[in-house]
């Protein structure tokens, strides 16, 4: 697979409904899309970095610069046996995992098309359909949140996750449980608490949640291990797990009992698969997280979710929850049973709507191997 050129572009897409977490509210996305032009055809991927460095240190501009100055030049003009091999070419660049994932995953997409196989099979997946949950942000009122939960349950989603932060947690969970005593429910704090709040976090146990996601600091596995000992509720780590190594440490220290895998956060499919395998060997269930992706990133999340140990419903939901019109065809659809059926087509099974993408593009740059 020879990498002849790379196109990076930024598109703007307004969200159907704002999304609010403990670190802020998003109303529209600035999304980076990367196209790897290879001799066997184009591969596409999305960089999931946010507009601001709040979820993690990467953001749109850092990803753009890291890709154009360091990552693209490391692979341009090269012939790779497989996408898996590009990790070694990036090893000099510390961090910037979302930027790395965009390029590596575009090569996985190109490789699947070149080999004429579905991406999910190339990744080693086996599921023919995947279970879906939803992540519901902080709303303007509890009433509004309850209405949203009602809509998502009616649509068939199999797990409801709500965002929490001090002041929007126990009071909210109480109202949810009063109305739905038995639904599969979890919460995500995006690091909104500290270890001083153990007693408060312990009070979440009464809601028999499936998990509490990332209660403490992103860079602290040790304190999560301490906290997990104090809680009956399983801790799920998101931000803290940035590599197979951090996943191994989290499991060895008992910092969590569930892991959320986001392919962007960990630097690409190769690392995501490693984390999946480590968890599988230790009987720790994983699920696929989301980053408010367009259809291109969403299609990659779907492919990853077919791996065997993705045994809990992911934050992989239908296109229409996010976008008036998605940039892939068909759009991602979720059945009334809360499932996405996996395509047998080569590549992701979703076509990229290049004309629409062109219209949404606000910035574009094509990089080519420098002539010798
Ligand atoms: O913590 O899982 C998170 C969105 C942006 C940043 C972080 C997170 C999220 C979500 C949304 O929870 C998941 C989705 O619906 O894509
Ligand atoms: Mg999370």
């Amino acid at each position: 697979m020879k990498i002849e050129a790379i196109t990076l572009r930024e598109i703007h897409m307004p969200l159907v409904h704002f999304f609010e977490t403990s670190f802020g509210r998003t109303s529209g996305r600035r999304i980076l899309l990367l196209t790897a032009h290879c001799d066997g055809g184009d591969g596409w991927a999305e960089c999931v970095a946010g507009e601001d460095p709040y979820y993690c240190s990467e953001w749109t501009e850092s990803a753009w610069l890291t890709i154009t100055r360091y990552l693209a030049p490391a692979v341009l003009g090269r012939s790779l046996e497989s996408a898996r091999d590009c990790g070694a070419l990036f090893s000099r660049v510390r961090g910037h995992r979302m930027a790395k994932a965009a390029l590596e995953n575009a090569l996985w997409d190109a490789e699947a098309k070149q080999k004429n196989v579905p991406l999910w099979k190339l990744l080693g997946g086996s599921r023919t359909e995947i279970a879906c949950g939803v992540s519901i942000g902080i709303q303007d009122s509890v009433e509004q949140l309850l209405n949203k939960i009602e809509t998502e349950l009616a649509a068939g989603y199999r797990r409801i996750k709500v965002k929490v932060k001090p002041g929007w947690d126990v009071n909210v969970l109480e109202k949810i449980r009063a109305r739905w005593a038995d639904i599969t429910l979890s919460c995500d704090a995006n690091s909104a608490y500290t270890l001083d709040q153990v007693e408060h976090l312990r009070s979440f146990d009464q809601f028999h949640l499936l998990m509490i996601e990332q209660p403490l600091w992103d860079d602290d596995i040790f304190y999560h291990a301490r906290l997990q000992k104090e809680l009956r509720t399983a801790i799920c780590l998101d931000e803290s797990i940035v590599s197979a190594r951090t996943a191994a440490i989290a499991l060895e220290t008992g910092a969590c009992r569930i892991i959320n895998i986001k392919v962007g956060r960990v630097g690409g499919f190769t690392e995501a698969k490693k984390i999946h395998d480590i968890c599988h060997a230790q009987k720790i269930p994983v699920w696929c997280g989301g980053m408010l992706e367009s259809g291109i990133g969403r299609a990659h999340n779907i492919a990853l979710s077919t791996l065997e140990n993705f045994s809990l419903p992911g934050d992989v939901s239908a296109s229409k929850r996010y976008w008036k019109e998605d940039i892939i065809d068909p759009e991602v659809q979720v059945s009334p049973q809360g499932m996405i059926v996996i395509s047998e087509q080569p590549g992701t099974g979703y076509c990229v709507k290049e004309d629409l993408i062109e219209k949404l593009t606000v910035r574009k740059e094509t990089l080519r191997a420098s002539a010798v």
Side-chain angles (χ1 to χ4, degrees), residues 299-327:
H300 283 189
N301 289 343
I302 292 169
L304 182 67
S305 303
T306 64
L307 272 68
E308 194 182 342
N309 193 37
F310 280 83
S311 53
L312 295 172
D315 279 348
V316 185
S317 36
S319 296
K320 67 171 187 217
R321 288 193 66 241
Y322 306 83
W323 320 112
K324 216 166 114 200
E325 183 180 4
D326 204 344
I327 57 174

Side-chain angles (χ1 to χ4, degrees), residues 19 21 23 26 55 134-136 161 163 188 190 213 238-239 260 262 287 289-293 298 301 315-317 321-322:
F19 188 79
T21 66
F23 58 76
T26 311
Y55 164 82
V134 284
S135 171
I136 307 181
K161 152 175 148 186
K163 293 289 184 178
D188 185 358
N190 292 106
E213 191 177 332
D238 174 350
E239 286 90 325
N260 158 341
K262 288 181 182 166
W287 55 277
M291 290 292 287
L292 309 176
E293 287 92 345
R298 196 165 298 282
N301 289 343
D315 279 348
V316 185
S317 36
R321 288 193 66 241
Y322 306 83

Side-chain angles (χ1 to χ4, degrees), residues 268-279:
F269 282 129
T270 307
E271 198 73 9
K273 273 164 56 66
K274 277 191 205 158
I275 298 172
H276 166 274
D277 294 349
I278 288 171
C279 292

Side-chain angles (χ1 to χ4, degrees), residues 81-215:
E81 198 67 37
S82 90
R84 199 178 331 113
D85 301 335
C86 75
L89 301 173
F90 297 162
S91 64
R92 261 220 301 171
V93 177
R94 201 178 289 267
H96 296 281
R97 294 181 171 88
M98 291 175 174
K100 289 174 178 170
L103 186 40
E104 185 191 307
N105 295 351
L107 295 177
W108 276 92
D109 189 47
E111 184 180 345
K113 283 178 192 151
Q114 185 192 40
K115 294 183 171 159
N116 208 32
V117 294
L119 175 61
W120 62 273
K121 284 195 180 159
L122 189 64
L123 289 168
S126 56
R127 296 176 182 270
T128 56
E129 52 176 2
I130 60 165
C132 307
V134 284
S135 171
I136 307 181
I138 294 165
Q139 306 296 319
D140 290 329
S141 68
V142 179
E143 199 48 45
Q144 203 177 357
L145 177 66
L146 296 178
N147 287 338
K148 283 206 159 286
I149 294 175
E150 186 164 38
T151 305
E152 306 298 7
L153 289 171
Y157 287 102
R158 291 172 168 242
R159 185 223 62 207
I160 302 290
K161 152 175 148 186
V162 294
K163 293 289 184 178
V164 289
K165 64 176 182 181
W168 180 276
D169 50 18
V170 173
N171 52 334
V172 174
L173 294 168
E174 256 165 10
K175 296 218 171 77
I176 299 173
R177 274 300 184 216
R179 181 127 160 226
W180 296 283
D182 298 321
I183 56 167
T184 305
L185 181 65
S186 70
C187 71
D188 185 358
N190 292 106
S191 303
Y193 301 93
T194 65
L195 205 50
D196 306 337
Q197 292 160 298
V198 176
E199 282 313 315
H200 179 63
L201 291 168
R202 216 201 309 263
S203 73
F204 288 27
D205 280 347
Q206 66 184 298
F207 304 113
H208 43 277
L209 303 174
L210 176 62
M211 65 194 129
I212 170 169
E213 191 177 332
Q214 197 69 41

Side-chain angles (χ1 to χ4, degrees), residues 132 157 302 317-319 330-335 339-341 350:
C132 307
Y157 287 102
I302 292 169
S317 36
S319 296
E331 300 206 340
V332 173
Q333 289 193 346
V334 171
S335 75
M339 306 295 282
I340 293 173
V341 176
Y350 296 91

